[in-house]
Amino acid sequence: MDTIAHQLNLQTLPEAVIGTVNATAVLDLHTHLYSPEFGQLGLWGIDELLTYHYLVAEFFRYSPMSPSRFWAEPKIRQAELIWQTLFLDNPPLSEATRGILTVLQALGLDVASRNLSAYREFFREQTVGGHIDRVFRLAGVKQVVMTNDPFDPAEREVWLQGPVVDPRFKAVLRLDPLLMNWEETAVGLSAGGYSTSVHLDSRSMAEVRRFLEDWIHRMHPVYMAVSLPPGFRFPEDSPRGRLIAECVLPVGREHSLPFAMMIGVRKLVNPDLRLAGDSLDLADVASVERMCGLFTENRFLVTMLSHENQHTLCVTARKFRNLLPFGC
């Protein structure tokens, strides 16, 4: 009887797992979505879906059109070119193209019609708030984490107005300009009322910490984040290394904010493709080990863009309880 019961449990296990997963509301830890309070920064609609950078990169695998000519077209025409090339002239077999069809199907649209005009009309009939409600319900998502850049003038202006953000959208304090381009950022911070110098003296360090404190109080982020290149090492005697060790991690520790690192991105290996021109490479997991070991009171969220780094990162997370791998 025990053997029969065991076999029955094994037979029903897949259904039980699938049912549990489908019934569990999700917190999406990393998105580039915005709540309605951010206005035009929140992109939505079929043309925005079709011009996502994964599809742009795929378009140029098939199309002889030059990037300069493509970018000269208005977005509506770019979307039409991508639709024609990737969905009509060629079978939509990639993960990116199948994702578009999955979205359209989930919204109740007829993908067999291949009618881009009808899809556009559907989105024109929606309100932003109603569409967000529907998407959250269909996706089984309860909350999403945005990617917020206080160094972007358009977004900074919204935050300075003190918006009441939809509670389903959680903020993240993105630090790429601060850590990856200190000299230019120092000038901008100085113009914004922080006494910073490109030489990164002790006064500048204190002012960077004040800047982080100000934006943490303003945004209430759930973590701080940065994308890092494959050559990132820690510790390192550079503005980036010093800012992480002397500003980001102490402030994060004080506010119990994890530091998220997406390591391995190679920016604009093909600049003609703009956002679609980024690539990746192997990174150094040992730097993550050293960071976790040196800053045991900090929490770290880490994704390595190269699949070949994933196993090592997972093993590292078993050695350091302050490390959580996420994404890939």
Side-chain angles (χ1 to χ4, degrees):
M1 290 295 294
D2 287 344
T3 301
I4 295 174
H6 179 66
Q7 290 174 342
L8 288 173
N9 288 336
L10 288 179
Q11 290 170 359
T12 59
L13 183 60
E15 290 83 0
V17 170
I18 292 172
T20 301
V21 169
N22 289 338
T24 301
V26 173
L27 166 63
D28 194 333
L29 194 62
H30 171 72
T31 76
H32 290 269
L33 303 176
Y34 284 93
S35 65
E37 295 75 26
F38 290 88
Q40 296 301 312
L41 289 173
L43 306 178
W44 66 293
I46 185 62
D47 291 337
E48 297 294 351
L49 288 171
L50 289 173
T51 53
Y52 186 64
H53 62 85
Y54 283 10
L55 290 157
V56 170
E58 190 173 340
F59 169 78
F60 285 113
R61 294 290 299 170
Y62 289 94
S63 174
M65 177 180 285
S66 70
S68 60
R69 182 181 165 194
F70 176 83
W71 295 120
E73 298 286 351
K75 182 163 287 187
I76 187 171
R77 179 56 182 154
Q78 294 173 6
E80 290 167 353
L81 289 166
I82 290 172
W83 178 256
Q84 182 67 42
T85 302
L86 299 185
F87 294 85
L88 302 182
D89 295 345
N90 295 280
L93 300 178
S94 69
E95 184 177 355
T97 53
R98 286 186 290 112
I100 299 295
L101 299 180
T102 299
V103 168
L104 296 176
Q105 231 171 4
L107 292 172
L109 299 171
D110 179 13
V111 295
S113 74
R114 302 185 176 189
N115 190 337
L116 182 56
S117 296
Y119 306 150
R120 283 173 168 161
E121 182 60 29
F122 166 83
F123 282 103
R124 277 194 293 267
E125 294 172 351
Q126 313 306 309
T127 64
V128 175
H131 185 63
I132 289 173
D133 292 342
R134 185 178 189 180
V135 169
F136 271 59
R137 183 176 66 255
L138 290 172
V141 172
K142 61 179 179 179
Q143 290 179 332
V144 298
V145 179
M146 302 181 284
T147 297
N148 304 107
D149 183 0
F151 301 97
D152 176 74
E155 182 171 348
R156 182 170 61 248
E157 185 60 32
V158 177
W159 283 111
L160 291 176
Q161 295 171 13
V164 179
V165 178
D166 184 326
R168 294 172 297 180
F169 291 78
K170 302 300 181 182
V172 159
L173 180 51
R174 192 72 184 244
L175 302 176
D176 294 56
L178 176 71
L179 299 179
M180 301 304 298
N181 192 2
W182 167 248
E183 290 190 3
E184 183 177 327
T185 301
V187 174
L189 288 176
S190 181
Y194 297 92
S195 299
T196 51
S197 163
V198 295
H199 302 298
L200 203 56
D201 52 22
S202 59
R203 178 67 180 273
S204 295
M205 287 292 192
E207 289 293 89
V208 169
R209 289 191 290 270
R210 182 167 72 89
F211 168 82
L212 295 175
E213 295 274 358
D214 288 347
W215 280 91
I216 287 170
H217 288 302
R218 180 173 289 119
M219 295 169 55
H220 305 291
V222 293
Y223 60 82
M224 296 185 284
V226 66
S227 289
L228 295 164
F232 171 70
R233 298 292 183 269
F234 191 88
E236 63 179 6
D237 185 17
S238 68
R240 179 177 63 196
R242 292 185 59 204
L243 285 165
I244 290 174
E246 299 178 43
C247 298
V248 176
L249 294 180
V251 172
R253 183 167 60 248
E254 181 179 343
H255 291 273
S256 298
L257 283 179
F259 183 41
M261 297 178 289
M262 291 154 278
I263 310 174
V265 63
R266 297 174 61 216
K267 295 285 189 180
L268 297 178
V269 297
N270 186 347
D272 289 343
L273 303 190
R274 301 188 183 179
L275 283 179
D278 290 355
S279 189
L280 55 85
D281 207 342
L282 286 168
D284 179 47
V285 183
S287 291
V288 177
E289 294 174 349
R290 288 190 288 272
M291 193 176 292
C292 291
L294 288 169
F295 297 90
T296 57
E297 296 181 19
N298 283 88
R299 292 177 294 154
F300 299 92
L301 304 173
V302 177
T303 185
M304 313 290 278
L305 274 63
S306 174
H307 282 284
E308 288 76 13
N309 281 136
Q310 294 304 312
H311 178 67
T312 307
L313 179 65
C314 290
V315 171
T316 300
R318 293 182 61 85
K319 315 305 173 186
F320 297 94
R321 64 181 181 180
N322 57 340
L323 170 62
L324 176 67
F326 79 104
C328 181

